[in-house]
Amino acid sequence: KQEVTQIPAALSVPEGENLVLNCSFTDSAIYNLQWFRQDPGKGLTSLLLIQSSQREQTSGRLNASLDKSSGRSTLYIAASQPGDSATYLCAVLALSGGYNKLIFGAGTRLAVHP
Amino acid sequence: NAGVTQTPKFRVLKTGQSMTLLCAQDMNHEYMYWYRQDPGMGLRLIHYSVGEGTTAKGEVPDGYNVSRLKKQNFLLGLESAAPSQTSVYFCASRDRAYNEQFFGPGTRLTVL
C-alpha cells in the first residue's frame, strides 16, 4: 500500500534562510509527484509537478527533485520570505484500490518569521 | 480562465437537511474529484469521475451522491446531512495528458 510521509511536520525559520522539505513514498510505481501549498482556510495551490521520468522541476525560488528508486522527493525553497508561510503538501499519483488517485502526505507547516 | 470554482463557499445545515455542492472547471479536464479535509485526517477522496456521465466511489462515499451530467460540472449531494459531515470540501480536476491536478477554493460546511 502506497504511503506518503513528510518530514518535518513543522518548521520555523528566519527570513532569508534556504530550506528543504522532505517527502518519501513507499512504492516507486508512481505516475508523478506534485507539491502543493495550502494557506489557512484556503484551497490547494499546485506548485510543481514532476513526472515519473523526470528528476527535477524549478519555478522561481522553488526547486523540486524526485528520486523514484529511493522513494524520495525534496522541495527546496531559496531565500525564504514571510509570504512563504503555509502548509506544504506532497502527493503521488499512483494506482491504488483499483483506480489512479493522488495519495497525500500529512504536510509540513512552514513559518518564516521576519 | 477561472480554473476550478466551487459554490457555495460556506453553508450551515441542520441535521437531516439536504444540499448540493457545485464544482465547475473551465479547463476541459476529463477527471474530476470531490475530497473532504478534516483536522488530523488529511484529504480523503469521496467520489470521482473519469468523464461526462460516469462516477465512481472513492475512500469515504457513504452519505454522499454525485452526478456529472456535463463535462465541466461535478455535483456533490448530501441527502440527509449529519454532524459527521461537518468538514471542508474540495473539488479538483485533472487533465488526461499531463496529469496535473488543480483544486478549487473549498466549501466550508457545518452541520448542526
Side-chain angles (χ1 to χ4, degrees), chain A residues 8-69:
Chain A
L11 186 61
S12 180
V13 300
E15 182 177 6
E17 194 161 297
N18 302 325
L19 56 99
V20 174
L21 307 182
N22 296 294
C23 173
S24 62
F25 47 96
T26 54
D27 189 339
S28 62
I30 64 170
Y31 294 101
N32 61 40
L33 184 143
Q34 202 167 347
W35 282 95
F36 295 91
R37 168 189 173 134
Q38 186 174 27
D39 293 284
K42 304 292 185 184
L44 279 70
T45 300
S46 180
L47 297 173
L48 290 165
L49 172 75
I50 312 176
Q51 302 292 354
S52 63
S53 58
Q54 297 174 323
R55 293 295 295 234
E56 68 175 345
Q57 284 286 339
T58 298
S59 176
R61 293 182 294 108
L62 305 179
N63 175 279
S65 67
L66 174 64
D67 184 341
K68 212 171 68 161
S69 60

Side-chain angles (χ1 to χ4, degrees), chain B:
Chain B
N1 190 336
V4 181
T5 58
Q6 293 183 231
T7 309
K9 289 185 169 52
F10 304 93
R11 186 72 187 268
V12 178
L13 290 178
K14 293 181 180 178
T15 297
Q17 287 185 318
S18 63
M19 78 163 293
T20 300
L21 282 67
L22 171 64
C23 175
Q25 52 94 6
D26 60 2
M27 297 173 281
N28 201 36
H29 287 171
E30 293 290 336
Y31 303 110
M32 295 188 75
Y33 305 85
W34 276 107
Y35 295 86
R36 60 179 289 174
Q37 187 177 39
D38 303 288
M41 302 289 289
L43 280 151
R44 292 181 292 172
L45 183 64
I46 305 170
H47 285 282
Y48 66 99
S49 169
V50 300
E52 182 179 322
T54 70
T55 62
K57 294 179 180 179
E59 304 168 67
V60 289
D62 294 343
Y64 305 95
N65 57 76
V66 287
S67 64
R68 183 107 181 261
L69 299 179
K70 293 183 179 180
K71 186 176 184 179
Q72 64 268 34
N73 295 337
F74 195 27
L75 279 63
L76 177 72
L78 286 72
E79 291 184 347
S80 179
S84 61
Q85 294 177 305
T86 293
S87 187
V88 181
Y89 291 86
F90 290 103
C91 176
S93 70
R94 173 165 69 90
D95 71 302
R96 186 192 295 271
Y98 198 55
N99 280 325
E100 185 171 9
Q101 196 151 316
F102 296 91
F103 282 77
T107 294
R108 189 172 296 273
L109 175 66
T110 301
V111 183
L112 303 175

